[in-house]
Structure formats: C-alpha cells, structure tokens
Amino acid sequence: MPTARLNSGYDIPLVGLGTWKSSPGQVRAAVLAAVRCGYRHIDCAAAYNNEHEIGAALEELLAEGVVTRDQLFITTKLWNSDHGNVEAALRRSLAALRLTYLDLYLIHWPVTGCSGPVLTPSTGETWAAMEGCVEAGLTRSIGVSNFSRAKLQQLLDSPQLKIRTAVLQIEAHPYWPNSALLSWAAAQGLHVTAYSPLGSPDSERLLNRPKHTAAAADAPAGSSSAAAAVEAPQLMQHPMVQEMARRHGKSGAQVLIRWALQRSTSVLPKSANPERIKANLDVLSWSLADADMAALSRLAEVAPQRMVDGSFWLSEQGPYKTLEDLWGEPQPDLQALRQQVLGRYTNLDKPQPTAQLSSGAVMPLLGLGTWKSEPGQVRAAVLAAVRCGYRHIDCAAIYGNEQEVGAALAELLAEGVVSRQQLFITGKLWNSSHGAKDVQPALNKTLLDLGLDYLDLFLIHWPVTGCSGPVLTPSTGETWAAMEACVEAGLTRSIGVSNFSRVKLQQLLDSPQLKIRPVVLQIEAHPYWSNSALLSWAAAQGLHVTAYSPLGSPDSAAIMQRGDDARRLLEEPALLRIAEQCGKSPAQVLIRWALQRGTSVLPKSANPGRIASNFDVLDWQLTPEDQQALSSLPYRQRMVSGVMWLNPRGPYKTLQDLWDEDEGGAE
C-alpha cells in the first residue's frame, strides 16, 4: 500500500475506505472485508452515526491478529455542534471506535451552527482545542475538511498557530477536480485527501442535488441546442470513463480511483459490497497515461458539479449567505462554460457532402485516414479532425492504434462536440481473422478498443488469409457470411470490402448464399493510379467507392518497398501548376479531385494545421479541364502494390493473380 508522509511525521495510506452513507449493519461488515483484503486507512466521522459499528469491527480485527493498531490509520471528524467541546467530542469518538488514540482528527466543516453573522466559536478557538488534543496524545495529526483556500490561509496565518494542518480533505473527482486548491495545498506542504472520488452516485437524493448538465447528446454540434440542459451521466457511467475501463480491463470505479492516486491525493472510495471493496483496491499495479489523466480532468469543462455543495449551511442570518461565502470562490456558470468549450471549434455547422449507401446509411465523403500515425499521434489527430469538422474516421485493427482513436472519441463525445449518431466510424477485418469463428471476436475487439457499441462500416481489409496452399482458405464466402452475421447482431450497420479486384468482388456478388450486399469498396485511387474502370463498374453495381492514399501516400515508400525511381505525386508539375492557379495546396487539389469523381476520400495527417487545411475543400471546385488533366497523367504507380501477399505456393503467385489485371500498363 503506497503512503504519503504528512508534515506531522506520520504516514497516511493512500487508499482508504469511506464510511459515509453506510446503512446500519453494513459498515461493520465493510470494515472487516476492507482490512482483511489489505486496506489500512478507515475514514470515519461522528456525524455518520456508525462509529460504534466500526469500533466493533476494529476490535474483532485486532483480536484476531489480522492487523496491529500501529498498522491502521483511523481518521474521524469533529462535528459542527462540537466546536466548543472539542476534546469531549474526540473522547466520545474514541470510546465508540474502541481506540486509545486517532491517527487523524479533522474539523468536518467550517460551520458551527451559529445564527449570527460571525462564525462562533471562531476557527482559531476550535483549532487551539484541536492542538490540545494532539498534546494530550488523543490524536497524532490534525487537519480540516471542506475548507476553502481563503479559510485555510487565515488559519495558517494565525500568530497563535502551534501545530500546522497536516491534511485537507476535500471533494475531488473529474466532475469537480479542485485542481487549483490541490496545487496550492501542495505548495503549503499539506496533504490532500479526496472524498466522493466516484462522484457520490448514491447521495443525489440525500443532498437534494440539482441536475447537472452537459451538452445535449443528440443536438447538432455547434447549434444553439448543443448546450441544451440535459442530465449528465453519473460519473462512473460516463462514456469516457467506460472507454478507459474497457481499454485497461478495469471497472469505472478503478479508473476514477487511479486518477485520484496519480494526482498525489489519498482517496476514499466507499462501498459496502465485499467484492467491490476488494476491486477498488486493485489500482496499485497499473497506471493511466498522461493523456487519459488530462482527458478526465477536462470533464469539468462541460459538466462541472459539486456533489456535496454545502447549500444546507446557508442562512440569511448566518456567516454563509451564499455558496460563494462558504467556498470563497465564484460558483461556475455552467451554460457559459459549455459555450466556451464549444466555441473553440470551427466548421461545426459547415455542411458536408455525403453519399447514401445501399444499406441506407449516410457516409460523409471527407474522412480522416489513420494508417501510419505514430503512437501518441493519432489521438491528437482525431481530436483535431473532429473539432474542425470531420465526421468520418477510417480505422483498422492492423494499424495498431484503435485504442488511441477510442480515447479521442470518448473525449469528443464527453465534451459534446459531436454525438455518436453524427460520427461515421469504419473498421477493418485483418487477414488472420477470416475464419467464421474469428470474425465476430475480431469486430468485438475493435469495438472494445474504440469504446463503441457499433461500427458504421466494417470492411474485409484484403482478400488475403495467410493460407499457404493454392486455394484461399477460409473462402471469401465463409468470411462474408460471418460479416453478415455481424450486421444481424447489430455490431455494424454496413459491410464492405477493401483492396478487392472487380473479378473477386463479382464472384462475391454472384454467390447464391449472399444475403447482404457489400455497400462500399475501398481502393487506392489518386492521379497516379486513377482506377477509373473499377470506379465505373462499382457505380453500375450500386457500390460506393472510398479512395485511400489520395495524396499518393508519400510516407509509405519505405514501408511498401517502392523503388527509388518512384515519383512523388505531391511534387507532380501538373499538380503544382493547378494548385498555384487555384490558390490552394497540392493536397487540397488532390482531395477535391477525388470528391469530384464521386468517391469518399481519406487524407491522412497528424498535423493539426494540415488536417484543417485538408478540410478546406468543400466550397470550391476544379474546372473540368483541370480535373481531366489530373485524370490523364501518363505516369502509373500503385503506392500499395500488395507484393507482400505473393507466395509461390499460395493463392497469389503474381500481382496479376492478386489484382486480376495487367500490372504492366492499362487498368
């Protein structure tokens, strides 16, 4: 169990058991289960009305020898009505807990119940009595709970102060990270304990909490209704939390506890369920990435919410008339915060061209390709793309980055930039998963990594299975039947193929077992490999074509083993001339060329500036003459030749076997 050294010289275990809201009879069993599975820190309070049950559990554990007293760290708190009788209150808690000393005693609230405008007794008077409890050996450390920075600073600045505050216990979770207060406390040498780390899901009715709000899930992003008031999900059920939990193979609660620990706070998850108590401790041997930590912290931008706001202490006659009086800080304007977040994004309302697929789905024609994005890059690329207007993201299991794409999607959905219905997400089945029993598990793995319940489109990546014999095994028919089953199971809305020749696709279309027609053919297409004949044939079949490598795949030459004499499309003289005439970049011209051929197109970039530039192709056109000039370039070159799939013993011995066309010249 990791610990933090307090300024009093004692160590506090960083994971503790919270005991607030445990029903009568529950807390004793919870403490027994917690200590037996490894907890050493128990957080109590006189106001919780269960110290006697906790005391019975501690007595049993000590008698059994499960722990010794010096291995435990027991905290309890001084209630509001006892500020004038501190030592007597502490002795009552010790009697109930069956202990001779506490490890930590906290002032529960900066509240005394006085009815006048001045806090009585004063915090200074209460603190002097707390110091007396340390000197009497009744507690080893003292601290405060629910104090603002201003109130705590006044205490620290008191000339009468003899013992510094060791701990500040505050509410802290992604909906209310309290980051500024944490930073200030660290600078003061104060340890912070985070309560309600799971968002206090069972306290809403008890505390009469108002419904907190987030951007409306189904509203068009950027519209006036995008910030409509709707209830935000409970923190543990938030899509971003759930996505991270799936990615790490953990629970939402474990993700939130881990987040708290990595902020250097101790943390007090509360549960009365022995299995959940044990699971909440399984947070010590793994970590969240820095990007995940930051993404969780940003939830407060859209849905800031105290779970324990202290409104019950407000009084027109008392020292705290408003929440600002109590907390010493302005309370957030939720609507303004949401509009500020949404205002960072551009092109949210810009109309995009789409294609109606034969399945009935609508595909945005401009998508972001994610192949060849380096680890750590693709998450930022997806964030930049969707924030500037892209709604179509093209993924594949073999790219090895679907978890990063999923983290970005979860963050975007959490911020309300888009709803799931506004996104079009494509995934692809890799060669090694073509068997009937392998297709659905492969798709489920993709969904898990992406943090999604369904795909918009699932493609067979290549007509390749890795078989070593002369016949393709499993057959394309067997694979396709399993793809159809994925549609029927609701795991994907549409299915299609990638890198299929006309011959191979016609064989699939002619199959008497076919139940669901392919809706998309994804192929390489750019002016150096226009694939015009295949495009015309696909259109006659009612198949939509997506063009990959539209910029000539300049960064794949080494990967694809292209010769040194291969030309770079982005440096083609005819292209540069047209780009200069249009006042556009060569990449923009190539993307516009693809769109004017009726294909969807997948430019790839990890540079936010180029991602935004690639999107600026929707409100201008190439002339017919420029379009034709690019379509008739004499140089011919596949950028992804498929040579890696050739095998003298396999089904594809030559490129002509793979593509069913003469690779030497005409398409």
Side-chain angles (χ1 to χ4, degrees):
M1 174 66 71
T3 61
R5 177 59 59 96
L6 304 180
N7 60 26
S8 59
Y10 295 97
D11 293 329
I12 184 171
L14 293 187
V15 181
L17 179 74
T19 61
W20 181 40
K21 303 186 305 292
S22 291
S23 301
Q26 285 187 337
V27 74
R28 178 177 176 277
V31 172
L32 290 173
V35 175
R36 285 172 176 158
C37 78
Y39 290 73
R40 295 297 178 261
H41 177 181
I42 309 296
D43 183 81
C44 319
Y48 301 167
N49 292 318
N50 55 19
E51 287 181 327
H52 61 289
E53 282 194 54
I54 296 170
L58 295 177
E59 186 175 61
E60 182 174 339
L61 292 161
L62 292 167
E64 288 180 357
V66 176
V67 285
T68 60
R69 175 61 187 95
D70 60 349
Q71 292 174 313
L72 292 171
F73 191 99
I74 309 299
T75 300
T76 197
K77 307 180 192 79
L78 174 76
W79 188 236
N80 307 346
S81 55
D82 290 322
H83 280 227
N85 302 284
V86 175
E87 184 173 330
L90 175 48
R91 288 186 182 277
R92 285 197 302 272
S93 286
L94 288 173
L97 292 168
R98 307 184 192 189
L99 300 175
T100 58
Y101 69 90
L102 290 179
D103 297 277
L104 177 64
Y105 196 40
L106 302 175
I107 299 176
H108 205 151
W109 286 90
V111 173
T112 65
C114 61
S115 57
V118 178
L119 189 69
T120 308
S122 69
T123 300
E125 181 181 337
T126 305
W127 190 255
M130 297 280 286
E131 292 174 328
C133 292
V134 176
E135 293 163 355
L138 301 176
T139 183
R140 290 182 166 178
S141 303
I142 49 177
V144 297
S145 175
N146 296 303
F147 270 52
S148 68
R149 170 177 172 172
K151 291 179 175 60
L152 191 44
Q153 187 70 68
Q154 289 172 351
L155 177 59
L156 294 174
D157 290 343
S158 170
Q160 285 77 41
L161 186 78
K162 294 189 293 181
I163 301 176
R164 284 180 64 84
T165 308
V167 170
L168 169 62
Q169 187 175 122
I170 54 174
E171 179 177 344
H173 47 74
Y175 279 160
W176 196 263
N178 240 328
S179 300
L181 188 51
L182 260 69
S183 297
W184 176 82
Q188 305 299 315
L190 289 168
H191 176 74
V192 172
T193 295
Y195 74 73
S196 294
L198 311 183
S200 199
D202 52 356
S203 70
E204 185 167 317
R205 202 174 311 170
L206 177 67
L207 297 181
N208 194 27
R209 225 164 43 227
K211 301 291 186 185
H212 53 296
T213 57
D218 298 323
S223 70
S224 60
S225 57
V230 293
E231 185 179 356
Q234 285 191 351
L235 182 55
M236 281 195 292
Q237 275 67 55
H238 196 284
M240 182 188 294
V241 175
Q242 290 298 306
E243 181 274 330
M244 290 183 191
R246 285 191 290 266
R247 184 150 36 89
H248 287 279
K250 302 294 181 182
S251 69
Q254 289 168 325
V255 167
L256 294 171
I257 296 166
R258 187 66 225 176
W259 177 84
L261 289 175
Q262 287 180 220
R263 300 175 86 219
S264 299
T265 68
S266 48
V267 60
L268 302 172
K270 174 260 170 184
S271 179
N273 180 298
E275 289 305 314
R276 283 198 292 269
I277 287 170
K278 184 177 180 181
N280 288 346
L281 197 59
D282 183 18
V283 292
L284 306 180
S285 58
W286 58 280
S287 296
L288 292 169
D290 290 345
D292 288 341
M293 291 291 296
L296 286 171
S297 297
R298 281 195 293 272
L299 286 182
E301 292 182 355
V302 179
Q305 176 66 55
R306 281 192 192 275
M307 302 303 166
V308 185
D309 71 358
S311 57
F312 31 80
W313 306 131
L314 304 185
S315 167
E316 286 298 322
Q317 293 78 39
Y320 308 126
K321 297 175 177 60
T322 67
L323 287 175
E324 189 166 343
D325 292 337
L326 177 64
W327 296 112
E329 59 189 24
Q331 298 304 290
D333 181 336
L334 306 187
Q335 185 80 354
L337 282 171
R338 287 193 301 276
Q339 291 295 348
Q340 183 181 2
V341 171
L342 293 173
R344 294 202 299 262
Y345 312 133
T346 59
N347 295 321
L348 293 177
D349 285 328
K350 196 165 189 175
Q352 289 191 48
T354 59
Q356 180 90 37
L357 305 182
S358 61
S359 62
V362 175
M363 171 190 270
L365 293 187
L366 186 56
L368 178 74
T370 60
W371 181 40
K372 303 186 302 294
S373 289
E374 297 293 329
Q377 286 187 341
V378 74
R379 178 179 173 276
V382 172
L383 289 173
V386 175
R387 285 170 176 163
C388 82
Y390 291 74
R391 296 295 175 262
H392 176 179
I393 309 296
D394 183 80
C395 313
I398 194 60
Y399 300 167
N401 56 19
E402 287 183 327
Q403 288 187 355
E404 282 194 54
V405 175
L409 295 177
E411 183 169 343
L412 292 159
L413 292 167
E415 290 183 348
V417 180
V418 286
S419 67
R420 174 62 184 95
Q421 292 76 16
Q422 292 171 307
L423 292 171
F424 191 97
I425 309 298
T426 299
K428 305 186 192 79
L429 178 75
W430 188 238
N431 307 348
S432 55
S433 299
H434 280 225
K437 64 179 177 49
D438 300 321
V439 174
Q440 187 164 324
L443 175 49
N444 281 329
K445 176 63 165 58
T446 282
L447 291 173
L448 179 68
D449 288 343
L450 292 173
L452 301 176
D453 297 323
Y454 67 90
L455 290 181
D456 296 278
L457 177 64
F458 193 41
L459 304 176
I460 298 177
H461 205 151
W462 286 89
V464 173
T465 65
C467 60
S468 57
V471 177
L472 189 69
T473 308
S475 68
T476 299
E478 177 183 336
T479 305
W480 191 255
M483 297 280 284
E484 293 173 327
C486 291
V487 177
E488 293 163 356
L491 300 177
T492 183
R493 294 187 168 176
S494 303
I495 48 178
V497 297
S498 175
N499 297 302
F500 270 52
S501 68
R502 171 177 173 173
V503 171
K504 291 179 176 60
L505 191 44
Q506 187 69 67
Q507 290 171 346
L508 176 59
L509 294 172
D510 291 342
S511 169
Q513 285 77 40
L514 187 78
K515 294 189 292 181
I516 300 175
R517 285 176 63 84
V519 302
V520 169
L521 168 62
Q522 186 175 125
I523 54 173
E524 179 178 343
H526 47 75
Y528 280 169
W529 195 264
S530 60
N531 243 328
S532 300
L534 188 51
L535 258 70
S536 298
W537 175 83
Q541 305 300 313
L543 283 165
H544 176 74
V545 172
T546 296
Y548 74 74
S549 294
L551 310 183
S553 198
D555 52 356
S556 71
I559 301 174
M560 294 289 111
Q561 301 177 21
R562 289 201 296 275
D564 293 337
D565 59 342
R567 286 159 62 173
R568 288 172 58 87
L569 177 57
L570 286 170
E571 298 170 0
E572 169 63 38
L575 172 63
L576 296 177
R577 174 183 55 79
I578 293 169
E580 184 176 4
Q581 289 174 350
C582 294
K584 301 294 181 181
S585 71
Q588 289 172 320
V589 170
L590 291 172
I591 297 165
R592 188 67 228 176
W593 176 84
L595 291 174
Q596 288 181 213
R597 301 176 85 214
T599 68
S600 48
V601 59
L602 302 172
K604 174 261 170 182
S605 178
N607 180 295
R610 283 197 292 271
I611 287 170
S613 174
N614 290 345
F615 192 78
D616 185 19
V617 293
L618 303 180
D619 52 7
W620 57 278
Q621 289 191 332
L622 293 171
T623 66
E625 294 77 17
D626 288 341
Q627 187 79 8
Q628 180 58 34
L630 291 172
S631 298
S632 56
L633 292 176
Y635 182 72
R636 300 288 314 286
Q637 174 71 54
R638 278 194 193 273
M639 303 301 166
V640 184
S641 70
V643 67
M644 59 281 204
W645 308 131
L646 305 186
N647 183 331
R649 294 175 297 280
Y652 308 126
K653 297 173 178 62
T654 67
L655 287 175
Q656 187 163 354
D657 293 337
L658 178 64
W659 296 113
D660 299 300
E661 59 190 28
D662 180 5
E663 291 295 302
E667 293 179 56

